[in-house]
Amino acid sequence: MRLDLFTLFPEILSGYLGQSILAKAIERKLVEVHLHDFRRWTKDKHQSVDDRPFGGGPGMVIKVEPVVECVEAVCNALPASGRLILLTPQGRRLTQPIVEELAAESSLQLLCGRYEGFDQRVTEILQPDEISIGDYVLGGGEVAAMVLVDAVARLVPGVLGDQRSCVEDSFSQGNRLLEFAQYTRPREYRGYQVPEVLLSGNHEAISKWRREQTLERTRDRRADLLDGSGDSPVEPDRS
Ligand code: ADE
Protein backbone atom coordinates (compact mmCIF):
# COMPACT_ATOMS: atom_id res chain seq x y z
CA MET A 1 0.00 0.00 0.00
CA ARG A 2 1.22 3.49 -0.85
CA LEU A 3 0.55 6.41 1.52
CA ASP A 4 1.15 10.07 0.66
CA LEU A 5 0.89 12.43 3.63
CA PHE A 6 0.54 16.20 3.12
CA THR A 7 1.44 18.44 6.05
CA LEU A 8 3.21 21.54 7.30
CA PHE A 9 5.04 19.45 9.90
CA PRO A 10 6.55 16.32 8.30
CA GLU A 11 8.76 15.72 11.38
CA ILE A 12 5.70 14.98 13.53
CA LEU A 13 4.88 12.13 11.16
CA SER A 14 8.39 10.80 10.54
CA GLY A 15 8.93 10.27 14.29
CA TYR A 16 5.88 8.04 14.60
CA LEU A 17 6.46 6.22 11.30
CA GLY A 18 10.01 5.36 12.37
CA GLN A 19 8.93 3.08 15.24
CA SER A 20 7.56 -0.40 15.89
CA ILE A 21 5.10 -2.14 13.54
CA LEU A 22 4.90 0.74 11.04
CA ALA A 23 8.68 1.04 10.73
CA LYS A 24 8.92 -2.72 10.10
CA ALA A 25 6.10 -2.60 7.53
CA ILE A 26 7.92 0.20 5.69
CA GLU A 27 11.27 -1.60 5.88
CA ARG A 28 9.67 -4.77 4.49
CA LYS A 29 8.10 -2.69 1.69
CA LEU A 30 4.56 -3.72 2.65
CA VAL A 31 3.76 -0.04 3.15
CA GLU A 32 5.40 2.81 1.23
CA VAL A 33 5.14 6.28 2.76
CA HIS A 34 5.86 9.65 1.12
CA LEU A 35 5.77 12.90 3.11
CA HIS A 36 5.02 16.20 1.35
CA ASP A 37 5.48 19.65 2.87
CA PHE A 38 3.06 22.31 1.55
CA ARG A 39 5.63 24.97 2.30
CA ARG A 40 7.77 23.72 -0.58
CA TRP A 41 4.93 24.68 -2.93
CA THR A 42 4.79 28.35 -1.93
CA LYS A 43 6.03 30.92 -4.43
CA ASP A 44 6.57 34.07 -2.31
CA LYS A 45 9.91 34.83 -0.67
CA HIS A 46 8.50 34.38 2.87
CA GLN A 47 7.11 30.95 1.96
CA SER A 48 3.78 31.85 3.56
CA VAL A 49 1.34 28.98 3.86
CA ASP A 50 -1.32 30.79 5.89
CA ASP A 51 -3.11 34.15 6.02
CA ARG A 52 -5.77 36.01 8.02
CA PRO A 53 -9.39 34.97 7.36
CA PHE A 54 -11.54 37.19 5.12
CA GLY A 55 -14.36 38.61 7.23
CA GLY A 56 -12.13 38.74 10.32
CA GLY A 57 -11.89 36.40 13.29
CA PRO A 58 -9.14 34.72 15.28
CA GLY A 59 -6.42 32.49 13.89
CA MET A 60 -5.01 31.86 10.47
CA VAL A 61 -6.29 29.91 7.45
CA ILE A 62 -4.10 27.69 5.24
CA LYS A 63 -3.87 29.15 1.75
CA VAL A 64 -5.47 27.42 -1.20
CA GLU A 65 -2.66 27.65 -3.81
CA PRO A 66 0.19 25.68 -2.18
CA VAL A 67 -2.18 22.94 -1.02
CA VAL A 68 -4.00 22.41 -4.32
CA GLU A 69 -0.80 22.63 -6.38
CA CYS A 70 1.10 20.23 -4.12
CA VAL A 71 -1.70 17.63 -3.99
CA GLU A 72 -2.41 17.82 -7.73
CA ALA A 73 1.26 17.42 -8.66
CA VAL A 74 1.68 14.38 -6.41
CA CYS A 75 -1.63 12.77 -7.42
CA ASN A 76 -0.99 13.26 -11.14
CA ALA A 77 2.33 11.44 -10.79
CA LEU A 78 0.85 8.44 -8.92
CA PRO A 79 0.98 5.12 -10.76
CA ALA A 80 -2.73 4.51 -10.03
CA SER A 81 -5.44 6.80 -8.74
CA GLY A 82 -5.92 6.55 -4.98
CA ARG A 83 -8.28 7.96 -2.40
CA LEU A 84 -7.80 11.50 -1.10
CA ILE A 85 -8.76 12.00 2.55
CA LEU A 86 -8.90 15.22 4.57
CA LEU A 87 -8.59 14.80 8.35
CA THR A 88 -11.03 17.23 9.96
CA PRO A 89 -13.40 17.27 12.94
CA GLN A 90 -16.12 18.03 10.36
CA GLY A 91 -15.78 14.66 8.61
CA ARG A 92 -17.64 11.38 9.11
CA ARG A 93 -16.42 9.56 12.19
CA LEU A 94 -13.74 6.87 11.65
CA THR A 95 -14.88 3.35 12.57
CA GLN A 96 -13.34 -0.09 12.06
CA PRO A 97 -15.55 -0.83 8.98
CA ILE A 98 -14.25 2.42 7.39
CA VAL A 99 -10.68 1.39 8.28
CA GLU A 100 -11.34 -1.96 6.55
CA GLU A 101 -12.69 -0.17 3.48
CA LEU A 102 -9.58 2.05 3.31
CA ALA A 103 -7.24 -0.92 3.81
CA ALA A 104 -8.62 -2.40 0.58
CA GLU A 105 -7.31 0.60 -1.42
CA SER A 106 -3.88 0.40 -3.04
CA SER A 107 -3.06 4.01 -2.22
CA LEU A 108 -4.29 6.73 0.15
CA GLN A 109 -3.46 10.44 0.19
CA LEU A 110 -3.96 12.13 3.56
CA LEU A 111 -4.27 15.88 3.99
CA CYS A 112 -3.42 17.26 7.45
CA GLY A 113 -4.60 20.75 8.37
CA ARG A 114 -3.49 23.18 11.12
CA TYR A 115 -4.68 26.46 12.64
CA GLU A 116 -8.28 27.30 11.62
CA GLY A 117 -8.11 24.76 8.79
CA PHE A 118 -7.86 25.06 5.01
CA ASP A 119 -9.39 27.70 2.76
CA GLN A 120 -12.77 26.17 1.82
CA ARG A 121 -11.75 26.10 -1.86
CA VAL A 122 -9.28 23.28 -1.07
CA THR A 123 -12.28 21.03 -0.37
CA GLU A 124 -14.28 22.36 -3.32
CA ILE A 125 -11.46 21.78 -5.80
CA LEU A 126 -9.96 18.53 -4.50
CA GLN A 127 -13.21 16.95 -3.20
CA PRO A 128 -11.56 14.79 -0.53
CA ASP A 129 -13.33 12.23 1.62
CA GLU A 130 -13.53 14.11 4.98
CA ILE A 131 -12.80 11.96 8.05
CA SER A 132 -12.79 12.78 11.77
CA ILE A 133 -11.27 10.56 14.45
CA GLY A 134 -13.76 11.72 17.09
CA ASP A 135 -15.78 14.58 18.49
CA TYR A 136 -12.95 16.70 19.88
CA VAL A 137 -10.64 19.23 18.26
CA LEU A 138 -6.92 18.52 17.86
CA GLY A 139 -4.20 21.06 17.19
CA GLY A 140 -3.82 19.62 13.70
CA GLY A 141 -4.60 16.68 11.45
CA GLU A 142 -1.22 14.93 11.88
CA VAL A 143 -2.15 12.90 14.96
CA ALA A 144 -5.48 12.01 13.32
CA ALA A 145 -3.61 10.88 10.17
CA MET A 146 -1.35 8.69 12.32
CA VAL A 147 -4.40 7.12 13.98
CA LEU A 148 -5.80 6.30 10.55
CA VAL A 149 -2.46 5.03 9.17
CA ASP A 150 -1.85 2.88 12.25
CA ALA A 151 -5.33 1.33 12.05
CA VAL A 152 -5.14 0.75 8.27
CA ALA A 153 -1.54 -0.53 8.09
CA ARG A 154 -2.13 -3.36 10.57
CA LEU A 155 -4.77 -4.75 8.14
CA VAL A 156 -2.34 -4.85 5.21
CA PRO A 157 -1.54 -8.55 4.66
CA GLY A 158 1.79 -9.48 6.24
CA VAL A 159 2.10 -6.43 8.54
CA LEU A 160 1.00 -8.31 11.66
CA GLY A 161 2.86 -11.52 12.39
CA ASP A 162 -0.34 -13.51 12.93
CA GLN A 163 -3.18 -12.44 10.60
CA ARG A 164 -5.73 -13.87 13.08
CA SER A 165 -4.97 -11.00 15.47
CA CYS A 166 -6.78 -8.55 13.23
CA VAL A 167 -9.57 -10.90 12.11
CA GLU A 168 -10.55 -11.13 15.78
CA ASP A 169 -10.38 -7.39 16.44
CA SER A 170 -13.24 -5.72 18.26
CA PHE A 171 -15.38 -3.60 15.91
CA SER A 172 -14.19 -5.42 12.77
CA GLN A 173 -16.88 -6.63 10.31
CA GLY A 174 -19.22 -8.96 12.15
CA ASN A 175 -17.56 -8.53 15.56
CA ARG A 176 -19.30 -6.18 17.91
CA LEU A 177 -17.75 -7.59 21.06
CA LEU A 178 -14.85 -6.35 23.18
CA GLU A 179 -11.79 -8.53 23.59
CA PHE A 180 -11.20 -10.90 26.50
CA ALA A 181 -8.48 -10.30 29.12
CA GLN A 182 -4.98 -11.58 28.31
CA TYR A 183 -2.25 -12.71 30.73
CA THR A 184 1.40 -13.72 30.50
CA ARG A 185 4.04 -14.80 33.02
CA PRO A 186 4.38 -14.68 36.01
CA ARG A 187 1.36 -16.73 37.15
CA GLU A 188 1.10 -14.67 40.32
CA TYR A 189 2.04 -11.03 40.96
CA ARG A 190 1.39 -9.21 44.25
CA GLY A 191 -1.25 -11.80 45.04
CA TYR A 192 -3.02 -11.34 41.67
CA GLN A 193 -3.42 -14.73 39.99
CA VAL A 194 -3.81 -15.73 36.36
CA PRO A 195 -7.25 -17.46 36.05
CA GLU A 196 -6.78 -21.22 36.59
CA VAL A 197 -8.58 -22.17 33.38
CA LEU A 198 -5.89 -20.49 31.23
CA LEU A 199 -3.25 -22.76 32.76
CA SER A 200 -5.35 -25.91 32.34
CA GLY A 201 -4.35 -26.74 28.75
CA ASN A 202 -8.05 -27.51 28.12
CA HIS A 203 -8.68 -25.64 24.86
CA GLU A 204 -12.43 -26.09 24.95
CA ALA A 205 -12.65 -24.69 28.48
CA ILE A 206 -10.35 -21.80 27.54
CA SER A 207 -12.51 -20.90 24.50
CA LYS A 208 -15.65 -21.03 26.64
CA TRP A 209 -14.07 -18.78 29.31
CA ARG A 210 -12.95 -16.29 26.68
CA ARG A 211 -16.38 -16.24 25.03
CA GLU A 212 -18.00 -15.55 28.40
CA GLN A 213 -15.44 -12.81 29.21
CA THR A 214 -16.07 -11.15 25.90
CA LEU A 215 -19.86 -11.06 26.44
CA GLU A 216 -19.59 -9.96 30.08
CA ARG A 217 -17.13 -7.14 29.28
CA THR A 218 -19.23 -5.91 26.39
CA ARG A 219 -22.38 -5.95 28.54
CA ASP A 220 -20.58 -4.06 31.37
CA ARG A 221 -18.62 -1.51 29.32
CA ARG A 222 -20.31 -1.09 25.95
CA ALA A 223 -23.89 -2.34 26.15
CA ASP A 224 -24.61 -0.07 23.15
CA LEU A 225 -22.65 -2.50 20.96
CA LEU A 226 -25.06 -5.29 21.86
CA ASP A 227 -28.38 -3.49 21.65
CA GLY A 228 -27.51 -1.18 18.74
CA SER A 229 -29.22 -3.17 15.98
CA GLY A 230 -31.45 -5.40 18.10
CA ASP A 231 -29.64 -8.38 16.50
CA SER A 232 -27.93 -10.96 18.62
CA PRO A 233 -24.15 -10.35 18.52
CA VAL A 234 -22.21 -12.19 15.87
CA GLU A 235 -19.28 -13.96 17.44
CA PRO A 236 -16.00 -14.12 15.52
CA ASP A 237 -14.83 -17.52 14.36
CA ARG A 238 -11.90 -18.23 16.66
CA SER A 239 -11.13 -21.69 15.24
N1 ADE B 1 -8.11 17.81 13.11
C1 ADE B 1 -8.43 18.44 14.26
N2 ADE B 1 -9.27 17.70 14.99
C2 ADE B 1 -9.51 16.54 14.30
C3 ADE B 1 -10.30 15.41 14.53
N3 ADE B 1 -11.04 15.26 15.63
N4 ADE B 1 -10.31 14.44 13.60
C4 ADE B 1 -9.60 14.58 12.46
N5 ADE B 1 -8.83 15.64 12.19
C5 ADE B 1 -8.77 16.62 13.09
Side-chain angles (χ1 to χ4, degrees), residues 87-89 113 131-141 144:
L87 283 311
T88 163
I131 291 185
S132 163
I133 62 158
D135 290 344
Y136 39 80
V137 180
L138 301 167

